[in-house]
Amino acid sequence: MFSHVEGPIVEFHGWEVIGYYLNNIQNYLAEYSWQVRTAYGLIVGCIFVMIILFGLFILMIRKTTKYKKEYQQLEEKFREPLYQIMILPEPPSVQEIEGLMGCNFTELKRYDSAMFAQLISSLRMELCEVLYIPNMQYICKITGVTDYIERCLIGRTKVFEILQMVVNLNIRISEGELAIYLNHHNTNIRLMARLAYIICTENEPYKYLEEDLNQRMLPWRPMLTHRLFGWLQECGRPMPSFIVIAESLDNEEASAFLIEEVAYWGTDTEKNELSKFFLAPRYIIRLAAMRATAQLAREANEQALVESYDHQPEYIKREVLKTVLAINSGKQLDFYEKAYKTASSKETQEQALSCMYMYGNEGRRRFEMIRSSYQVGEETRTLLDQIDATNLLKQLQQFS
């Protein structure tokens, strides 16, 4: 670059050009105060930052658009074949997979495994009611998803998201990739890694379960743990001792959760032991045992439940009444009538009458006998009429 000045021509090379302009700017600003020079510097700096951010924003948009386009193409080609493989009862042969996918395994490796991971996770959510998909491990292996997950864990990239994927897909990866996260300082990562550990090992899968359950229950823990127990049972894996662990925990919420899980995955022995919690010192445990009993509709626990009624606070008495209705053995009409007559609160009295009304034909007949009795006061008669009208309305809504 050349600068025309009076006298001989001066030639600048390389960084001398930048130095020349910097000297000009410095000379130009020299006559101003430091406040003005600082302001100029901030303005120029902001302009450069905005240019850089704008460039990064454009690059991000282009990258996102490109990813969405490629993912859409992948989804259009492989969504239906992957779905068909997932719902097969047994792993298909190599020829069957290549026929469904429309390409061989070598061609599959050319696609982005991260996109396959997103697509398979989306399909798994659609099949969320299916606890166990026998072909999931095989699908993740041939599409490179398993390798992608292990690479991310080794590189510590998107760790929580990747661990969540392992738990949602119920796939087994090398225990070595999980090792560094089993005692991670981040609670979410540590707990998710330990759920994944249950899937990936058969040596001592419940090694950390009691310790984890003694911590505060995060919102996502009960849901994921419940699904994991279902997957373990479908796989024929040994289940934890729900009652034993529940009794050893200090965390009341976790103990209640495990007791409710007995209704789904517990042994017959554990289901019979639910009755011993009807008078547990902690009320939340009593409620959990009653909900589990209602879920099972287990008549073997009914007598112990009825006998516990008089020793319960009012809100748990109402839970007892609903649980007896769920069991629906037809033997507790006298219990409902006694509960109605001895109720110390209007809500409990209303619950007893409502349950009696829905307790089969004999319960409805007893309800009408009480309503037609001359001993019933006006206020109670109004309550009986309201219960009758409410239940009739529910029946009409069910048939409409």
Side-chain angles (χ1 to χ4, degrees), residues 340 369-378 380-381 384:
Y340 146 68
M369 288 174 60
I370 293 173
R371 181 158 62 168
S372 61
S373 173
Y374 68 91
Q375 297 178 345
V376 175
E378 191 63 31
T380 303
R381 195 179 304 279
L384 291 162

Side-chain angles (χ1 to χ4, degrees), residues 299 302 324-332 359:
E299 191 174 336
E302 185 178 54
V324 171
L325 176 63
I327 296 172
N328 202 17
S329 67
K331 304 174 183 178
Q332 302 300 334
Y359 202 64

Side-chain angles (χ1 to χ4, degrees), residues 55-90:
L56 292 174
F57 180 68
I58 295 298
L59 288 174
M60 184 182 68
I61 291 176
R62 292 185 62 183
K63 184 178 179 181
T64 303
T65 303
K66 181 182 178 182
Y67 181 88
K68 287 182 178 179
K69 184 178 179 180
E70 292 178 355
Y71 177 76
Q72 186 176 5
Q73 293 173 349
L74 183 85
E75 185 179 30
E76 289 174 358
K77 186 173 183 179
F78 294 114
R79 183 180 183 85
E80 187 60 27
L82 285 172
Y83 182 84
Q84 293 301 323
I85 296 172
M86 282 186 184
I87 61 178
L88 290 175
E90 295 180 359

Side-chain angles (χ1 to χ4, degrees), residues 1 12-22:
M1 181 176 177
F12 296 100
H13 298 279
W15 291 100
E16 292 177 344
V17 177
I18 298 175
Y20 169 76
Y21 283 109
L22 288 175

